[in-house]
Amino acid sequence: MTTPVSGSVPILRLGDVLVTGLLNELDDKTAVAFTEELTSRITADGARGVLIDISRLEIVDSFVARTLMELTTMARLLGARVIVAGMRPPVAITLVELGLQLTGVETALNAEQGMAAMGWRQSPQPSGGGLGEFHPEH
Amino acid sequence: MARPGRPSDEQSEGTTGRPDRKDNELGSAEAAAREHVTSVLREEADKISDRWVQLQLAQPSLDGEVSEAELGEEADALVSALLSGLELGLPIERVVTAHEEIHRTVSEISLRRARRGVSPTATSLAVLSLKEALLEAVQRRTRAADDLFGSAVLINRLLDSAGALAFETFVEGREEIIRRQSQQLLEVSTPVVRLWRQVLAVPLIGTLDTARTQVVMENLLQAIQEHEALVAIIDITGVPTVDTAVAQHLMHTVNAVRLMGADCVISGIRPPIAQTIAQLGIDLSTILTRATLADALSEAVKLTEAAGSDRAPLDRR
Amino acid sequence: MSSTRNTDHAVALAPSGRAADRHALMDRTVHHVRTEEDLLTVRHAVRAATLRAGFSIVDQTRVVTAASELARNAYIHGGGGTVTIDQLTTGGNAGLRLTVQDDGPGILDTDAALADGFTTGVGLGHGLGGARRLMNDFELHTGPGQGTTVIATRWAGR
């Protein structure tokens, strides 16, 4: 397995939402670099939301947890809302047993639901009745 | 010899001295007996194995749980392991425990019986009846009383520790089975049911301890992921008491559900339980609670509808 | 309290041993923790060992996370150290024992270090206390100037 180098986590922009995903492994250096890059992108792009897909992350230890919590706080200060999506069940169980609840971090079941929570909709949902059809940019 | 790549018999290092290194009278008598038993094992391995199988088959307590072919394999394996153990020159009391191959063979013989429900008596007798087979083989070669006596003592010392090991492994094997069965029982007793689109429920019945909480958590989170559920209802109508520990377990489960991105409602809090929770000063204020499963379901449906329409952030604090 | 390594468990069938101590050591690997990259190597090695031991996915995650916490502690507070991964078996049940050792300044107040929220470095202070909750058995040997050794074991299906 290769170690991701700094800046290797791609950050996409969809309207005013930044979308990014963490890979299987997150080492301390990458985590720090990721925080820095993401916060500067929030300011540069004027983003109002950040979606972090962690569905591929196999381990969240206290360092990664702290990174996510700090990131949420910093983004909030910069006017953006962070949603952490797709945490795996074993990771959630381990975090709770570690005594970490990611206080203040908003979560979503998967990237799709996270994006929906930020006002993005793929297509009208059966129960949604076309409500909330919202496209931030055309 | 121990198999390569298994560093498990570190203790045998330095003990592989010569069998006759104690040169006193007793030592040389033991060395002679050892020589006898070793050569009998070497030259009559097949006969000893066959005889041992016969002796075990004659025991009514074995009850056909282990087939003749399996007994034959076991016998061949143990006889050849014992031979190599004796040839190594380990002190006789430690041959069985320190020699990796013997240790493993005896353990496997014992575990096989533990798993098949053979009685403990039959399991110890299985190993101990090898004594008889070995002694008979020695008797066929010598009639000298001294030799016979020396060999008998040696065989006893060698195989008594094997009997002890077999019994110990047997008990551990049974404990393992009990552990596994209670785990299976736990899983059966904590079903996760789908109540509504994106709404799941776990009806808990009985006490909620750490092991149970872990199973509930695992099953529930797995189901949330599979069904993309937004709300999980934990119904505690069937939980007799809620003390601080149970409350702690509930909090853990709720927190794990939230980390997954779903919401949790606890239902079925009966009046006496509400009283206990209040009296114990347990803080469940961050958890959404409802008196009945029906109330919880209607709340859950509201939550999913809210999430489906405008996706307002759910304020949990 | 001493920093001596407790690694003499070979075929632990000591006649005086308690039931919990009667286990056989199936495999042992030792990893050095000198750089941040070593933390990843340790995690991979522990993950591989949990797979060999047949641990469930949740137990794998618990043990790898605990190893990550302990190895990071040794790296940050102990100035580097070693992680020994022992694969154990007893009565057909598989276990994994982590021995994380460093020659750092040691821990003055072990109770505080094990309590949640205590930290003298990075992270949330959940390192030791959290790792203890993720494992079945947990031993802490430390003292001022004596380095720190943590021996933590988890058994499959417990």
Side-chain angles (χ1 to χ4, degrees):
Chain A
M1 215 169 286
T2 53
T3 311
V5 288
S6 303
S8 70
V9 182
I11 301 171
L12 307 173
R13 182 167 159 241
L14 290 175
D16 56 3
V17 178
L18 295 177
V19 183
T20 181
L22 296 177
L23 299 171
N24 322 30
E25 291 276 10
L26 191 66
D27 64 284
D28 299 7
K29 247 182 230 150
T30 315
V32 173
F34 174 68
T35 310
E36 282 170 12
E37 193 175 343
L38 200 58
T39 43
S40 64
R41 281 287 296 275
I42 292 172
T43 330
D45 297 358
R48 305 300 306 274
V50 178
L51 181 101
I52 306 173
D53 180 6
I54 60 162
S55 60
R56 290 187 62 191
L57 211 54
E58 291 173 346
I59 294 293
V60 174
D61 61 8
S62 58
F63 187 85
V64 177
R66 190 176 80 142
T67 305
L68 290 172
M69 286 165 70
E70 284 179 357
L71 200 67
T72 306
T73 312
M74 286 188 263
R76 196 176 288 144
L77 291 171
L78 298 169
R81 171 183 170 198
V82 176
I83 293 183
V84 172
M87 185 182 291
R88 297 183 178 197
V91 172
I93 292 170
T94 304
L95 267 184
V96 165
E97 286 174 2
L98 260 182
L100 297 171
Q101 290 147 45
L102 293 190
T103 317
V105 179
E106 219 180 314
T107 50
L109 206 58
N110 50 39
E112 199 185 330
Q113 292 197 2
M115 287 308 280
M118 299 230 222
W120 280 76
R121 192 77 82 242
Q122 248 187 339
S123 58
Q125 287 193 344
S127 74
L131 267 173
E133 267 294 271
F134 172 58
H135 301 279
E137 274 191 357
H138 291 277
Chain B
M1 273 308 285
R3 290 194 294 155
R6 290 217 173 186
S8 57
D9 53 352
E10 287 167 25
Q11 286 191 358
S12 67
E13 268 177 39
T15 53
T16 51
R18 298 175 174 283
D20 56 349
R21 78 188 140 174
K22 271 190 195 168
D23 245 347
N24 55 42
E25 215 172 304
L26 207 78
S28 65
E30 184 186 318
R34 192 173 180 128
E35 200 47 57
H36 257 298
V37 175
T38 310
S39 65
V40 165
L41 270 171
R42 190 183 301 126
E43 285 150 33
E44 298 196 31
D46 289 349
K47 271 190 200 158
I48 295 169
S49 292
D50 291 347
R51 179 66 185 138
W52 186 28
V53 172
Q54 278 174 16
L55 284 169
Q56 288 188 78
L57 285 173
Q59 281 167 17
S61 48
L62 191 63
D63 213 18
E65 290 292 345
V66 184
S67 73
E68 191 172 343
E70 286 172 324
L71 288 174
E73 281 167 28
E74 288 176 357
D76 291 345
L78 186 55
V79 166
S80 95
L82 280 176
L83 177 61
S84 79
L86 283 175
E87 281 174 341
L88 263 179
L90 293 166
I92 199 74
E93 283 81 7
R94 298 198 40 232
V95 168
V96 170
T97 47
H99 190 271
E100 203 256 351
E101 193 183 338
I102 304 179
H103 192 282
R104 182 167 37 82
T105 313
V106 172
S107 300
E108 277 167 9
I109 288 173
S110 189
L111 276 178
R112 172 177 275 168
R113 282 158 180 74
R115 289 186 184 126
R116 302 214 180 147
V118 175
S119 75
T121 315
T123 305
S124 350
L125 281 178
V127 176
L128 296 181
S129 60
L130 179 56
K131 273 186 193 173
E132 206 175 321
L134 259 174
L135 265 178
E136 283 175 15
V138 173
Q139 265 172 338
R140 280 198 293 276
R141 306 190 121 212
T142 177
R143 290 275 161 200
D146 274 2
D147 285 347
L148 275 177
F149 179 73
S151 303
V153 168
L154 187 101
I155 290 169
N156 265 327
R157 283 163 70 193
L158 179 68
L159 291 182
D160 281 351
S161 56
L165 172 64
F167 200 76
E168 218 166 72
T169 321
F170 181 86
V171 172
E172 281 171 12
R174 299 294 290 182
E175 280 172 359
E176 170 68 15
I177 289 168
I178 292 167
R179 251 200 315 273
R180 214 172 286 158
Q181 283 174 342
S182 54
Q183 182 72 18
Q184 284 163 353
L185 203 68
L186 270 180
E187 273 162 38
V188 173
S189 62
T190 50
V192 179
V193 291
R194 189 161 166 254
L195 282 189
W196 204 259
R197 207 173 67 89
Q198 297 182 307
V199 179
L200 299 175
V202 200
L204 288 180
I205 292 160
T207 44
L208 194 61
D209 56 12
T210 311
R212 188 95 186 277
T213 310
Q214 287 184 354
V215 175
V216 169
M217 237 198 266
E218 278 180 41
N219 290 351
L220 183 59
L221 300 200
Q222 204 62 51
I224 288 174
Q225 197 180 39
E226 274 165 28
H227 297 285
E228 299 199 359
L230 287 173
V231 186
I233 300 171
I234 301 176
D235 185 79
I236 60 167
T237 311
V239 177
T241 49
V242 173
D243 56 12
T244 327
V246 172
Q248 186 80 34
H249 291 137
L250 285 173
M251 293 288 279
H252 270 185
T253 311
V254 172
N255 286 331
V257 168
R258 285 177 178 171
L259 283 174
M260 294 277 298
D263 256 298
C264 209
V265 183
I266 292 184
S267 71
I269 301 182
R270 291 171 286 121
I273 289 199
Q275 231 170 14
T276 323
I277 291 174
Q279 281 160 1
L280 286 173
I282 299 167
D283 182 18
L284 293 180
S285 61
T286 55
I287 300 180
L288 200 52
T289 51
R290 286 292 178 268
T292 66
L293 186 56
D295 293 343
L297 178 59
S298 97
E299 185 63 35
V301 171
K302 262 186 241 162
L303 283 172
T304 59
E305 278 168 0
S309 57
D310 58 14
R311 287 280 173 175
L314 300 168
D315 192 5
R316 287 158 183 164
R317 250 142 262 286
Chain C
M1 291 292 164
S2 79
S3 62
T4 39
R5 258 170 284 180
N6 190 6
T7 50
D8 47 352
H9 282 272
V11 177
L13 259 155
S16 60
R18 293 175 297 119
D21 293 329
R22 277 198 305 270
H23 49 246
L25 175 62
M26 306 302 285
D27 190 42
R28 161 172 294 177
T29 54
V30 181
H31 304 265
H32 291 279
V33 182
R34 296 194 194 94
T35 64
E36 234 175 73
E37 284 69 42
D38 290 341
L39 295 178
L40 275 190
T41 314
V42 165
R43 289 212 294 228
H44 290 163
V46 173
R47 170 78 72 181
T50 58
L51 283 170
R52 280 198 300 276
F55 277 27
S56 72
I57 178 75
V58 180
D59 281 344
Q60 288 173 34
T61 312
R62 285 186 179 115
V63 177
V64 178
T65 309
S68 184
E69 299 293 337
L70 297 175
R72 181 178 285 105
N73 274 346
Y75 170 66
I76 291 171
H77 302 293
T82 56
V83 176
T84 306
I85 307 168
D86 289 336
Q87 221 160 320
L88 312 172
T89 180
T90 176
N93 198 20
L96 215 63
R97 180 175 60 209
L98 304 172
T99 306
V100 184
Q101 194 262 337
D102 69 57
D103 296 318
I107 300 170
L108 278 167
D109 188 346
T110 50
D111 286 344
L114 284 165
D116 289 335
F118 178 87
T119 181
T120 54
V122 295
L124 288 156
H126 289 278
L128 277 184
R132 180 166 68 167
R133 274 195 296 272
L134 293 175
M135 304 295 276
N136 294 129
D137 308 318
F138 191 93
E139 286 174 44
L140 175 63
H141 304 274
T142 188
Q146 292 175 24
T148 302
T149 302
V150 173
I151 305 167
T153 313
R154 180 142 196 127
W155 296 96
R158 258 190 221 173

